[in-house]
């Protein structure tokens, strides 16, 4: 990544953090771009620009980073509605539908997103895609019990399935589950239909299709930062 690209990526995260207001409950996302927003929220809090905020993290890693930065954290049972969540994505289509879960936090990310009044996604422009699944496999979080059955089910839907590994071992999420990275070639046909099929399958805990959830997209490019919002089934530049 060039110095300019890194700078605009940081600017995008910082601009997202400016949407946070005093008194809010804030969802803090996972990933290299979202962490810039978390750091900026902490800076604004310590500078006195923000007061009485509390946050909930989408992963153990983000929770640890936020606590180290001095951000007050909400308990994991999420006893209050979340006003705004700032998170990243692995792939974004023109309607602002997403694939998430490359960092393994898709279950917590979706719980936090669905509990939020407003979902803001921050990405670099390499994450933009004409169709979901063009550049990124779909992460599917499954129970370890019977996981090969889930792999066969995904294969019956047309996926090439690769169990995710880390350091040579089967990867485990923060909740102790496995992830099956599922590539649909050349892209995912009918993402909402696929999301419904995956959601109805016992043993599949969650999947990385985030359909109709993001309201605002902030894109860091090589020369500028763009803002887009969901509108009438397609993204609108703002």
């Amino acid at each position: 990544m060039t110095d300019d690209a890194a700078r605009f990526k940081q600017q995008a995260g910082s601009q997202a953090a400016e949407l946070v207001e005093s008194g809010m409950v804030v969802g803090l996302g996972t990933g290299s771009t979202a962490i810039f927003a978390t750091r900026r929220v902490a800076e604004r809090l310590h500078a006195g620009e923000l007061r009485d905020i509390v946050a909930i993290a989408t992963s153990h890693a983000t929770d640890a980073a936020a606590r180290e930065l001095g951000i007050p954290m909400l308990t994991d049972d999420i006893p209050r509605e979340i006003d705004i969540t700032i998170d990243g994505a692995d792939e974004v289509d023109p309607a602002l539908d997403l694939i998430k879960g490359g960092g393994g936090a898709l279950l917590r990310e979706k719980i936090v997103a669905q509990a939020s009044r407003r979902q803001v996604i921050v990405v670099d422009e390499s994450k933009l895609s004409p169709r979901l699944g063009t550049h990124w496999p779909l992460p599917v979080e499954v129970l370890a019990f019977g996981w090969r059955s889930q792999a066969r089910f995904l294969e019956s839907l047309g996926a090439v399935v690769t169990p995710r590994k880390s350091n040579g071992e089967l990867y485990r999420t923060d909740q102790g589950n496995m992830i099956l990275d599922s590539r649909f070639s050349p892209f995912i046909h009918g993402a909402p239909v696929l999301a419904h099929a995956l959601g109805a399958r016992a043993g599949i805990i969650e999947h990385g299709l985030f359909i109709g959830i993001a309201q605002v997209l902030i894109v860091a490019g090589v020369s500028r930062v763009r803002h887009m919002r969901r509108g009438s089934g397609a993204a609108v530049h703002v």
Side-chain angles (χ1 to χ4, degrees), residues 38-119:
T38 298
R39 291 170 182 162
R40 179 57 183 153
V41 168
E43 290 174 357
R44 295 185 64 206
L45 181 65
H46 296 317
E49 297 178 23
L50 293 175
R51 301 183 309 278
D52 302 322
I53 69 162
V54 65
I56 184 75
T58 60
S59 67
H60 290 168
T62 300
D63 184 83
R67 291 179 187 276
E68 186 174 347
L69 290 166
I71 299 175
M73 302 303 291
L74 199 66
T75 56
D76 280 352
D77 57 350
I78 313 182
R80 297 164 56 188
E81 186 175 27
I82 301 168
D83 295 292
I84 185 171
T85 290
I86 303 170
D87 206 348
D90 300 305
E91 195 166 8
V92 185
D93 75 6
L96 301 195
D97 291 331
L98 319 170
I99 285 179
K100 290 176 55 57
L106 63 154
L107 177 57
R108 283 180 62 138
E109 286 173 334
K110 192 169 285 187
I111 290 171
V112 171
Q114 291 178 344
S116 301
R117 294 175 182 168
R118 191 180 191 193
Q119 179 82 0

Side-chain angles (χ1 to χ4, degrees), residues 214-227:
Q215 288 94 33
V216 177
L217 178 70
I218 301 177
V219 184
V222 295
S223 60
R224 65 189 178 110
V225 175
R226 291 180 287 156
H227 288 235

